Amino acid sequence: MTYGNQPLKRHYKISVIIPARNEEKNLPYILESLKNQTYMPYEVIVVDDFSSDRTFEIAESYGIKVIRNTEMPDGWTGKTWALWNGYKNSTGDVFAFIDADVRLSPRALESLVKAREKANGAISVVPYHSPEKFYEKLSLIPYILGIFAFTSPFEKYNPRKGMYGSCIVVSREDYEKVNGHYSIKGELLDDLNLGEKFTSNGINVQNFIGYDLISFRMYPYGIKSEVEGFGKGAILSTSRLETATIILIALWLIGLLAVEFITPFLAFYKSDLFGLFLVLYIMYTLQIIYIDNWTGRYGIIVPLFHILSSLFFIYIMVYSLYQVFFLGYVTWKGRRIKV
């Protein structure tokens, strides 16, 4: 996602709106990066969503607009309410809704503005993932599958086309045309539902990969938050995809699981098929390493032994199924959200 020296048709007042719930460790990264943009934001608004840490104080120290979220009315989720309050306190003509864990390169905002202008609609970006600890790198397979879903060519004309919530850019005019986050206030998958609202109202939606411009570290606070983060939408999000996308992803995943689980048994029993499955395992591994060059920094161990991440993916799916069909709610950042 880069647009080089392509000139803008006009100058935009960009309101960057950041929802933040217990984000004292992440906020300095995003706020420092916003001070060094080639295209400076018109205003930066942090919405403190009832944090119990120093989120409010850290945001305030940067001299930006900081809002304490008001008591959440019935029928809303925490993030949609925070983003809606950010919008109500904004004055720009283009909104950049950016999560607190995102990190921006100096040219990121400029490229986002140019991409939105070229799309003449709303855009979102799947950030480049930069995990640091081993448990974070177990997200390899779930993250790749997410990339497949958002970049599938079959999703281009999906009438229910979703967006990636970590980074969404849209004009005030288009946002207000669909009544923004108010129109999806009770939705767990706010980003997917917002994308559908835009699409159904004739607003073009495009999704990009952040690569060297936009990155994030999703779950630095422990494996529990990682499981909750992936688990809250793992099952529900598939209902938004085109059938062709689901089939392609399923075929890729079935092949991956087959070579991961069958190859060791073939080796143990000295089967004649071992050579074939070993070649397939290597081909999958090389493909994963290639994809990682564009989507995330996962090191060597987990991409080589990707069966570890596949087991993690299976656990997430089982956990997500349990929450959705047995509990009727998911847990995220200390809140229970009804499904």
Side-chain angles (χ1 to χ4, degrees):
M1 196 202 91
T2 179
Y3 286 87
N5 295 319
Q6 172 187 317
L8 284 164
K9 295 179 181 177
R10 50 166 289 198
H11 181 80
Y12 300 93
K13 295 179 179 179
I14 311 298
S15 295
V16 176
I17 300 173
I18 304 170
R21 180 173 171 84
N22 295 330
E23 296 286 4
E24 65 178 8
K25 294 181 181 178
N26 280 321
L27 271 180
Y29 291 102
I30 179 67
L31 295 180
E32 283 292 338
S33 68
L34 285 168
K35 291 165 58 178
N36 299 301
Q37 293 297 302
T38 56
Y39 194 101
M40 293 299 293
Y42 176 70
E43 62 184 354
V44 177
I45 302 170
V46 170
V47 185
D48 177 26
D49 186 18
F50 297 99
S51 299
S52 58
D53 62 5
R54 298 183 63 251
T55 291
F56 184 88
E57 290 78 10
I58 289 173
E60 201 172 40
S61 71
Y62 280 83
I64 58 176
K65 187 181 294 186
V66 188
I67 303 164
R68 289 194 189 273
N69 219 8
T70 56
E71 193 65 34
M72 187 168 60
D74 291 338
W76 288 79
T77 65
K79 186 174 182 180
T80 55
W81 180 238
L83 292 172
W84 182 247
N85 280 322
Y87 150 72
K88 290 196 297 183
N89 285 273
S90 67
T91 56
D93 50 26
V94 170
F95 303 129
F97 299 106
I98 302 178
D99 284 356
D101 58 4
V102 171
R103 289 99 188 268
L104 304 175
S105 75
R107 291 180 50 248
L109 203 57
E110 177 184 355
S111 294
L112 286 169
V113 174
K114 290 178 178 179
R116 194 220 63 83
E117 184 179 75
K118 184 175 182 180
N120 192 28
I123 68 166
S124 75
V125 177
V126 185
Y128 183 90
H129 192 205
S130 301
E132 296 180 10
K133 297 180 180 178
F134 178 76
Y135 78 83
E136 295 175 75
K137 296 178 182 180
L138 292 176
S139 66
L140 172 67
I141 298 303
Y143 190 63
I144 285 177
L145 294 176
I147 292 287
F148 287 169
F150 275 96
T151 59
S152 167
F154 298 109
E155 298 305 306
K156 186 174 182 181
Y157 301 107
N158 185 346
R160 305 184 72 193
K161 186 176 185 179
M163 307 181 80
Y164 201 84
S166 291
C167 181
I168 293 175
V169 182
V170 62
S171 70
R172 176 181 288 272
E173 179 183 0
D174 287 341
Y175 184 78
E176 292 178 346
K177 182 178 180 180
V178 303
N179 210 14
H181 287 89
Y182 185 89
S183 66
I184 55 161
K185 59 184 179 180
E187 298 291 349
L188 171 64
L189 305 177
D190 56 283
D191 47 0
L192 299 184
N193 283 280
L194 186 61
E196 181 182 352
K197 286 289 182 183
F198 288 140
T199 303
S200 63
N201 281 275
I203 298 168
N204 183 35
V205 169
Q206 291 189 18
N207 296 313
F208 298 88
I209 296 175
Y211 189 43
D212 59 341
L213 291 172
I214 299 168
S215 64
F216 62 2
R217 182 186 174 193
M218 282 194 285
Y219 304 111
Y221 301 122
I223 193 168
K224 180 181 178 182
S225 67
E226 184 174 26
V227 171
E228 289 181 349
F230 279 110
K232 64 184 173 70
I235 293 298
L236 297 174
S237 60
T238 58
S239 67
R240 300 281 168 174
L241 300 175
E242 290 283 8
T243 302
T245 298
I246 295 174
I247 291 172
L248 282 181
I249 292 175
L251 289 174
W252 187 88
L253 182 62
I254 290 168
L256 175 70
L257 295 176
V259 300
E260 288 175 337
F261 288 97
I262 295 176
T263 303
F265 286 98
L266 295 177
F268 180 80
Y269 290 107
K270 299 180 181 179
S271 169
D272 293 338
L273 292 174
F274 171 69
L276 172 62
F277 272 76
L278 180 61
V279 170
L280 292 173
Y281 186 95
I282 292 171
M283 290 175 64
Y284 263 105
T285 302
L286 292 176
Q287 185 184 28
I288 287 170
I289 291 173
Y290 173 77
I291 293 170
D292 280 354
N293 287 332
W294 298 93
T295 61
R297 186 179 66 244
Y298 282 87
I300 297 296
I301 300 300
V302 174
L304 286 179
F305 300 97
H306 40 78
I307 188 172
L308 299 173
S309 182
S310 293
L311 289 169
F312 181 67
F313 168 75
I314 293 171
Y315 175 78
I316 285 172
M317 295 303 289
V318 172
Y319 175 72
S320 185
L321 280 167
Y322 171 71
Q323 289 190 106
V324 172
F325 292 107
F326 288 92
L327 298 181
Y329 65 81
V330 300
T331 303
W332 179 236
K333 290 198 172 185
R335 287 180 170 136
R336 287 184 177 182
I337 305 171
K338 289 184 179 181
V339 177

